Amino acid sequence: MSLRSYLSEHNELKKRTREYYNVKFQVNKKVFIKDETLIYFTQIYKVILDYYDDRDEHEKDVWELHKLGVRVNPSRAKCTLNFTRINQAWLKEATKKYIRYRLSIYSAEKSLDSIGAINDFSAFIAYYHPLLQAQDIDRRLILEYITQLPHTGLHPRTISKSIGSLKKFLEMCAIEEWLPVPDKRLIYAEDFPKPTRGLPRYIPE
C-alpha cells in the first residue's frame, strides 16, 4: 500500500486547493496542493534513492549538476537538469546526448533552455502523434508544431527562442546521428515569428 493510500484510508490525507489564473488558456484553474506529509516523505525517499543509486549520472533522468562538476550560477535555484517530462524514450535518450555535449561548451542555463524547448516538442508529439517515431520527423510535422505555437499564449520572443533551440537540437541529431532525422534543413529563418515594431514616437515641436 502506498503512503497516499494509507493516509487516505485513515482520513489523514489533507486535501487543499489553490486557484490561479492560467495565462495560456485565460481561465481560472484550481490545483491541488500536495499534503505536507507526502512532501516530507517524498524528499526522504529521494535522498535514500539517490544515496543507493550508483548509476552514472548521465544515465539518470535527473542530473545533479554539482556531481557532473558543472559550475552553476549561485543566483539560480535550479541545480539539476530534469529529463522526466520528455515522454518518448528515443527523444529522451537523444536529448541527454545533446545536453551532455552542450554542457561541455555552454553554460547550464543554456541547457535548461534547450530542455524546455524539447519538453514542449515532446508534449506536442505525445498529444497529437502518440505513435510517432524518430524517423517520422519531417518538415510537415515541424510546420504543424510551429503553427500551433502562437496559440499557446507565449510571447513571440519566447516562441523564437524555443524554435531556435529545437532547430539546433535537430541539426545536431542529424550530424551526430543521435536520431534518424533528415540531414536536410527542417526549420528555416522564415519560420521564426516576425519581430513586432512599435509605433514611431513623434516629438512635438
Side-chain angles (χ1 to χ4, degrees):
M1 178 184 291
S2 68
L3 177 60
R4 179 186 293 274
S5 299
Y6 175 84
L7 293 174
S8 179
E9 185 177 305
H10 291 78
N11 296 319
E12 295 290 339
L13 185 64
K14 299 175 183 177
K15 297 181 179 180
R16 296 181 296 161
T17 60
R18 176 174 62 85
E19 286 193 357
Y20 76 100
Y21 183 71
N22 188 303
V23 177
K24 180 177 178 180
F25 297 103
Q26 298 184 353
V27 293
N28 287 317
K29 295 197 72 174
K30 183 181 292 185
V31 295
F32 287 95
I33 302 174
K34 281 188 176 181
D35 184 278
E36 293 177 357
T37 304
L38 282 176
I39 295 174
Y40 176 73
F41 280 101
T42 299
Q43 291 299 323
I44 293 177
Y45 171 77
K46 287 181 178 178
V47 170
I48 296 174
L49 180 65
D50 182 64
Y51 181 80
Y52 287 102
D53 190 349
D54 57 358
R55 291 179 299 165
D56 182 87
E57 197 68 15
H58 295 107
E59 296 179 14
K60 302 175 184 178
D61 285 347
V62 179
W63 295 357
E64 299 282 350
L65 291 175
H66 71 276
K67 291 184 179 180
L68 297 174
V70 176
R71 297 178 63 182
V72 182
N73 188 334
S75 64
R76 293 190 70 104
K78 273 198 170 183
C79 295
T80 60
L81 294 178
N82 193 326
F83 301 89
T84 59
R85 288 180 56 199
I86 302 176
N87 301 281
Q88 303 77 16
W90 51 267
L91 185 57
K92 182 185 295 184
E93 189 62 29
T95 303
K96 288 181 179 180
K97 292 177 180 178
Y98 177 66
I99 295 302
R100 187 170 183 175
Y101 156 76
R102 297 274 293 179
L103 285 175
S104 66
I105 52 178
Y106 298 111
S107 67
E109 284 74 16
K110 289 187 178 295
S111 292
L112 284 169
D113 293 337
S114 298
I115 293 174
I118 298 170
N119 282 342
D120 293 340
F121 185 55
S122 173
F124 162 78
I125 294 174
Y127 187 82
Y128 291 102
H129 304 280
L131 301 180
L132 185 134
Q133 296 298 314
Q135 61 269 22
D136 300 323
I137 296 177
D138 56 14
R139 173 67 177 164
R140 181 182 298 180
L141 177 77
I142 296 300
L143 278 178
E144 182 184 348
Y145 173 64
I146 290 175
T147 53
Q148 63 86 34
L149 285 176
H151 303 291
T152 61
L154 294 173
H155 191 279
R157 281 199 298 268
T158 304
I159 293 175
S160 289
K161 194 174 183 179
S162 180
I163 294 174
S165 295
L166 182 62
K167 179 177 183 292
K168 292 175 184 176
F169 168 68
L170 292 174
E171 289 176 351
M172 188 57 65
C173 282
I175 293 171
E176 297 293 337
E177 298 182 346
W178 292 331
L179 288 176
V181 294
D183 57 1
K184 61 183 179 181
R185 188 180 300 179
L186 291 173
I187 299 176
Y188 294 84
E190 294 77 11
D191 297 329
F192 290 79
K194 301 295 185 292
T196 55
R197 294 183 178 179
L199 295 174
R201 297 178 63 185
Y202 295 97
I203 301 175
E205 297 180 357

